[in-house]
Amino acid sequence: MDSYFYLVIVAGLIAGASTGLLGVYIVGMRIPFIGTCISHAAMAGFIYGSFLTFENATLTAVSPVLGGITASVMAALSLAAIRPDKTRMDTNVGLAIVFCLMLGLTFLGIGLNQGSRSEMLGLLWGNILFTDRSGTITIAVMALVLVLFSHVFNKELKVLLFSRSIAAATGIHERFVYGLFLILCGIILAVNLPLVGGLMIFSLVTCPAAAAYRICTGHKSVVITATIFGMLSALIGFLVSYYLNLPTGACIVIVSATIFGLSAVYRAIRSGAD
Amino acid sequence: MIGSSLSLSGVEVKRGSRAVLNIKNLQIPSGAFVGIVGTNGAGKTTLLKICSGLIKPNRGTIKFDNRDLSKLSCWSKSNLRKHIGYIPQAIEYNSELPFTLREVVTMGQISAKPLLTHLKKQDYLIVDDWINKLGLAGLSNQTFRTLSGGEQQKTLIARAMAQEPTILMLDEPCSNLDFNWKYQITEIIDQLYRQTNITILMVSHDTNLLPPSCGRIVLLHEGNLLADGDAEDVFASNALETAYQCRIEMLNIGGRRYAINKKQTLEP
């Protein structure tokens, strides 16, 4: 392995850790579909952002990323409109509607695009092998912001996970914390999208956290275990794909699902022993 | 502890064109134990939610400790709710997460604290105190999801009390429990009220679940206040029969009021 592959491994570990940690809240709040919903919003934003050209070359270069972040934050915040105390619509139904809209906008954008469609469709799968130093730094910074956020609002997030209704009724400032979480969710999923891809990000958000929830006792151990499972999914997936010459994204998805399977088996054995 | 007071005047809540709650005047003084009774869809939960400022009425004034909720910002209303101990219906919380019983009770102290602060040692002493008071010490490190329905409900009561509230709002706290647990939970609520004298609003469509210390009944029917007064007077009147649309006989056994549907009683 040359030094470039170490960069890929570092990028994969960071992406796995941040999506694993994010998954603790997403899975805990029973909104796993948000991963695929926001990633499609980010894809639509990337595509429409790439249509924009500016005199400043740097601005033209970053406009797809900015478009992706803007669209995913807007999609995430639209979910904040579904209030737990005025439930006439389930959050997952809201997610499905936003997802459908974003999927439509994505394929409309691909249809309108005169350039390479394979590059656009590549966002669906992502490509960890195309990572560069600046991309790795960006996801590392956002991973740190997520760690900081989950530390600062740790106590409020716990109540939100347990019940948004209780949080709202007992003065947790639930709208503020939930809104901040959704914004962060949108940005993190958008910056990880080119690396991880719209479809794979769904598995990295869902499987490590769901596995941790199966086997852990206490919130702190769930947070640590999900983060480690996310990192392991990315690392083992990458190494398997490298040595067996298989598609990287597919290997990471299969490894993360396998970790969930093993956790479910472990819990079943432990429950049987009890 | 000093209980909170509530004052509602000319309150109307509409869903579409239909009024789901219409209350001309309702005064709840500090330290009262009020049972909110009515059939399904009578507006009981809506009444709790407007009292806590979670739902804005279409018109009317609600005062919480003499503070007009309509004049408070979203942030201030949220701060005011730090005084509300809330026990929701089972459907409203995620019991599948691996939180320990102590973590769930700690959430009460979390609600009482401002943002950007961490809990201190004395806060955990309050948490452990309520765990002990409710006889849950032996289960402290067990996950919430492995507890029985009754133990979960006791945990939620400990959580609400660890918040050190001035008002306790209970929304059908005994739903999904067997009759022995229903009795135990209402006994706990009874003791809490006698020991603390905080204000309690307890929603129930079953009159026998209201503890003996519940001295006042607010009877709702199709969103309207059908009766409001001393529990014995309300149950002695025919208001309950009007609300439930059946002949009712009230039995008082050990301070608990059992409403018997006469049509279902066996003829001698």
Side-chain angles (χ1 to χ4, degrees):
Chain A
M1 279 191 203
D2 61 25
S3 62
Y4 176 73
F5 285 96
Y6 288 113
L7 179 70
V8 171
I9 287 174
V10 169
L13 286 173
I14 297 167
S18 60
T19 48
L21 175 56
L22 199 62
V24 171
Y25 304 106
I26 288 174
V27 173
M29 289 182 204
R30 298 172 178 167
I31 48 172
F33 206 46
I34 198 173
T36 186
C37 176
I38 290 181
S39 57
H40 281 80
M43 275 174 66
F46 266 90
I47 291 166
Y48 290 100
S50 67
F51 290 168
L52 302 173
T53 48
F54 299 92
E55 283 183 17
N56 185 324
T58 314
L59 206 57
T60 305
V62 297
S63 65
V65 180
L66 291 179
I69 291 172
T70 309
S72 50
V73 168
M74 281 167 63
L77 279 179
S78 68
L79 302 172
I82 303 171
R83 309 284 315 128
D85 39 76
K86 296 172 191 166
T87 325
R88 280 181 221 164
M89 187 198 279
D90 185 78
T91 308
N92 284 307
V93 177
L95 278 171
I97 292 166
V98 177
F99 168 71
C100 293
L101 175 66
M102 292 305 157
L103 197 63
L105 287 173
T106 301
F107 284 98
L108 180 67
I110 291 172
L112 292 172
N113 182 43
Q114 301 299 315
S116 163
R117 291 186 181 189
S118 62
E119 190 186 324
M120 301 289 169
L121 287 169
L123 285 170
L124 268 177
W125 309 104
N127 198 334
I128 201 165
L129 298 175
F130 289 162
T131 190
D132 56 16
R133 189 175 285 273
S134 66
T136 308
I137 290 170
T138 308
I139 61 165
V141 168
M142 284 318 299
L144 280 176
V145 172
L146 176 64
V147 170
L148 196 67
F149 172 79
S150 66
H151 176 69
V152 170
F153 294 105
N154 179 43
K155 65 185 200 319
E156 287 79 15
L157 285 167
K158 273 196 218 177
V159 189
L160 275 177
L161 281 173
F162 185 65
S163 166
R164 278 182 69 200
S165 297
I166 288 180
T170 58
I172 285 287
H173 296 292
E174 169 263 344
R175 287 175 95 164
F176 175 72
V177 179
Y178 187 57
L180 277 184
F181 166 73
L182 289 174
I183 291 170
L184 199 56
C185 212
I187 298 173
I188 287 176
L189 293 177
V191 296
N192 278 288
L193 188 72
L195 195 74
V196 186
L199 296 177
M200 200 169 79
I201 215 162
F202 185 50
S203 81
L204 273 182
V205 161
T206 312
C207 295
Y213 275 124
R214 300 297 291 176
I215 61 169
C216 294
T217 302
H219 178 69
K220 198 174 180 179
S221 63
V222 170
V223 167
I224 295 168
T225 309
T227 308
I228 292 171
F229 279 172
M231 292 166 86
L232 280 178
S233 303
L235 180 68
I236 298 171
F238 174 72
L239 292 176
V240 168
S241 81
Y242 179 78
Y243 286 111
L244 299 180
N245 196 24
L246 295 168
T248 312
C251 288
I252 293 175
V253 169
I254 291 166
V255 170
S256 69
T258 306
I259 287 175
F260 173 77
L262 291 173
S263 303
V265 170
Y266 172 77
R267 171 148 173 208
I269 292 170
R270 201 177 59 176
S271 302
D274 291 343
Chain B
M1 275 188 216
I2 300 167
S4 289
S5 63
L6 283 161
S7 165
L8 287 78
S9 56
V11 170
E12 187 180 53
V13 181
K14 281 186 168 180
R15 195 162 291 162
S17 58
R18 192 171 72 94
V20 291
L21 195 67
N22 193 351
I23 293 179
K24 289 187 176 65
N25 182 36
L26 179 64
Q27 306 296 325
I28 296 169
S30 165
F33 188 157
V34 180
I36 302 169
V37 181
T39 52
N40 294 329
K44 305 184 294 292
T45 301
T46 307
L47 177 59
L48 273 196
K49 287 186 173 175
I50 61 160
C51 286
S52 58
L54 284 171
I55 293 180
K56 256 190 212 168
N58 296 76
R59 63 182 176 84
T61 311
I62 300 148
K63 287 184 178 173
F64 188 108
D65 281 340
N66 293 321
R67 296 175 73 184
D68 188 342
L69 290 181
S70 66
K71 293 193 173 125
L72 295 179
S73 67
C74 205
W75 193 268
S76 305
K77 258 192 277 188
S78 201
N79 280 333
L80 196 71
R81 285 198 282 267
K82 288 187 178 297
H83 301 292
I84 301 174
Y86 176 62
I87 297 171
Q89 294 188 36
I91 198 168
E92 291 184 68
Y93 56 83
N94 188 354
S95 60
E96 280 308 301
L97 298 180
F99 286 120
T100 62
L101 180 148
R102 191 168 184 259
E103 279 181 315
V104 174
V105 179
T106 306
M107 288 175 195
Q109 267 296 304
I110 291 173
S111 294
K113 300 290 168 200
L115 286 176
L116 308 177
T117 56
H118 286 277
L119 297 185
K120 297 187 178 112
K121 201 176 172 186
Q122 61 262 37
D123 301 323
Y124 287 106
L125 289 177
I126 295 168
V127 169
D128 291 333
D129 186 38
W130 278 107
I131 290 174
N132 286 329
K133 275 181 183 165
L134 287 172
L136 296 164
L139 304 169
S140 198
N141 291 319
Q142 207 164 312
T143 46
F144 185 77
R145 65 185 172 201
T146 61
L147 302 174
S148 71
E151 288 164 345
Q152 288 189 352
Q153 206 60 7
K154 264 170 105 172
T155 307
L156 291 179
I157 293 172
R159 187 210 63 80
M161 293 312 293
Q163 196 180 330
E164 300 181 299
T166 53
I167 184 165
L168 198 56
M169 295 188 181
L170 305 114
D171 194 356
E172 304 277 9
C174 299
S175 57
N176 302 325
L177 296 181
D178 65 48
F179 82 96
N180 185 27
W181 268 113
K182 278 179 180 169
Y183 181 81
Q184 286 189 49
I185 294 297
T186 51
E187 277 294 296
I188 289 167
I189 296 164
D190 195 50
Q191 283 168 22
L192 282 177
Y193 178 67
R194 291 178 199 278
Q195 286 163 10
T196 61
N197 256 325
I198 58 172
T199 309
I200 296 183
L201 300 186
M202 179 170 162
V203 164
S204 178
H205 54 243
D206 231 341
T207 55
N208 64 325
L209 298 178
L210 295 168
S213 57
C214 175
R216 182 170 161 195
I217 296 295
V218 164
L219 177 62
L220 293 174
H221 180 55
E222 294 174 351
N224 295 302
L225 195 60
L226 196 62
D228 171 22
D230 182 81
E232 306 313 323
D233 294 342
V234 172
F235 290 139
S237 73
N238 61 359
L240 218 55
E241 292 187 342
T242 310
Y244 287 83
Q245 298 286 300
C246 62
R247 297 282 310 282
I248 290 172
E249 185 178 336
M250 291 302 297
L251 299 177
N252 191 325
I253 303 171
R256 288 171 182 262
R257 304 86 169 187
Y258 294 84
I260 309 291
N261 184 344
K262 276 190 174 174
K263 284 179 189 166
Q264 289 176 3
T265 54
L266 294 172
E267 294 296 329

